[in-house]
Amino acid sequence: MKIGILTSGGDCSGLNAVIRSIGLYVYRNIKNAEIVGIPDGYGGLIRGESHSLRREDIEGILDLGGTILGTSRQPFKMMTVDVNGKSRLEMMCENYKKMGLDCLFTLGGAGTHKTAALLSMEGCNVIGLPKTIDNDIYGTDVTFGFQTAVEVATECIDRIRTTAESHGRTMLVEIMGNKAGWLTLFSGIAGGADMIIIPEIPFSVAALCYFIAEKRRRGDGCSIIAVAEGALPDTDAKLKKDKRTFIRHELGESTSTAHLAQIIGERTGAETRSSVLGYMQRGGTPCAFDRVLSSRLGGFAGRLAQEGRFGVTVAVSGSNITFNALTDIAGKYKLVNPSGEIVRFAKDIGIGFGDK
Ligand code: F6P
């Protein structure tokens, strides 16, 4: 059995742990197995590139950040567009056959899964694995990489808090997550944030300023606000994405955070600063939880290949590892439920979400 592995989309901690676990399972349990790594995500498959992944190539990478295969973003909407008479999808299917693959593991996020579903519908034997710090893949309780990012963002909030307390400042901490606020929600709760601003709950600037002003009136000048990269003021929420991007572009901002810090400072008189955590959240060694999760997911995916179950993606359900059909989850997102238990409890203990 010849198996290909690729990692696609934004990197995160745990990718190498998954590659290792797939390899360990396959080399131990499938006779005459051969594994090849495809470089740079779907980019490598489009170009028809691969290299051998021997047992010794994958043995020491459990705790290594990033991906030994490299990754790239290949927009889904471009997959079926003809370039010189052939689409990228056609090129990938051709190369899958040329490489003589019996199975392809695609480690990636929501976009990667959409392309994986297309490949599967075209007859390639695909098994997906749910990767992303955003934790927004539909059909799985958790994705690998998420927990490590939560740990990193929480530690950053803890550190920023000491400066906020020393100076009596309001600190906005921008956390990754464009569509989904999971990372901001979890690290915000873990870091004891006073407010958590996420894309799923558009914020009112007035409500946000009132919350901070009230806190200051009570004699507490230090506030920590965890702001998701994709946080939206309620005035923008009804606008089309293009229009929103245009407004931010006009302001010279790609996110709301710095602008929001300025408005809060002007309206409340609080000394306000912002910090963008950025790619720190994606880099570095996976935490123990992600090492275990990645290993379990990789091993389970190896077993699926052995059993010939394709067109699926591995998922976590409660304490079990299971799988979903790619076509059932592709194109869907798992977002924070604004009236769900986690947000409700957070509000119950006094965390503000900036909604009215
Ligand atoms: O991989 C997910 C993610 O980190 C998002 O949280 C973020 O919006 C995006 O990737 C950033 O992408 P890029 O690496 O292309 O800047």
Side-chain angles (χ1 to χ4, degrees), residues 29-178:
N29 297 289
I30 304 179
K31 276 208 183 92
N32 300 321
E34 181 191 353
I35 305 179
V36 293
I38 296 166
D40 305 330
Y42 290 122
L45 191 56
I46 292 167
R47 299 190 299 271
E49 293 170 11
S50 67
H51 55 79
S52 166
L53 269 187
R54 298 157 307 163
R55 207 189 155 99
E56 54 269 38
D57 297 322
I58 49 108
E59 265 170 352
I61 60 172
L62 174 63
D63 58 348
L64 195 64
T67 160
I68 58 164
L69 298 177
T71 186
S72 64
R73 292 195 187 277
Q74 300 287 334
F76 174 74
K77 60 179 181 223
M78 299 306 291
M79 288 299 173
T80 47
V81 176
D82 272 6
V83 186
N84 302 328
K86 216 181 258 179
S87 73
R88 289 172 173 83
L89 179 63
E90 285 170 304
M91 292 185 224
M92 288 195 289
C93 291
E94 271 181 25
N95 288 329
Y96 174 94
K97 284 193 195 111
K98 270 192 210 155
M99 288 178 195
L101 296 181
D102 299 297
C103 166
L104 174 67
F105 290 101
T106 56
L107 284 56
T112 302
H113 278 75
K114 283 206 275 183
T115 299
L118 272 188
L119 284 169
S120 166
M121 285 188 285
E122 291 299 314
C124 303
N125 293 332
V126 182
I127 297 176
L129 288 116
K131 162 239 72 167
T132 168
I133 65 164
D134 293 344
N135 194 31
D136 59 353
I137 297 183
Y138 190 84
T140 184
D141 292 351
V142 67
T143 56
F144 66 89
F146 173 65
Q147 190 60 40
T148 304
V150 171
E151 303 288 343
V152 172
T154 302
E155 188 188 337
C156 291
I157 295 174
D158 287 348
R159 286 174 183 273
I160 287 169
R161 172 185 304 289
T162 61
T163 295
E165 282 171 354
S166 306
H167 289 260
R169 282 178 181 164
T170 294
M171 292 287 214
L172 277 70
V173 186
E174 184 178 298
I175 294 163
M176 273 187 165
N178 224 334

Side-chain angles (χ1 to χ4, degrees), residues 196-203 232 336-338 343 347 353-355:
I196 296 175
I197 309 297
I198 57 175
E200 294 88 338
I201 306 178
F203 64 89
L232 275 181
V336 174
N337 178 356
V343 172
K347 285 185 172 176
F353 284 79
D355 48 345

Side-chain angles (χ1 to χ4, degrees), residues 283-298:
T285 187
C287 66
F289 178 91
D290 269 331
R291 292 182 199 190
V292 175
L293 178 64
S294 299
S295 301
R296 288 175 75 199
L297 293 172

Side-chain angles (χ1 to χ4, degrees), residues 185-245:
L185 181 63
F186 274 59
S187 54
I189 292 170
D194 300 287
M195 298 194 88
I196 296 175
I197 309 297
I198 57 175
E200 294 88 338
I201 306 178
F203 64 89
S204 140
V205 175
L208 216 145
C209 290
Y210 180 78
F211 188 96
I212 292 160
E214 274 302 296
K215 213 169 168 248
R216 280 163 60 78
R217 260 196 288 280
R218 292 196 304 271
D220 185 354
C222 154
S223 292
I224 300 284
I225 310 181
V227 186
E229 176 190 15
L232 275 181
D234 52 6
T235 43
D236 286 7
K238 290 183 198 83
L239 300 177
K240 289 225 159 75
K241 200 177 164 207
D242 289 359
K243 178 79 177 153
R244 285 203 304 260
T245 312

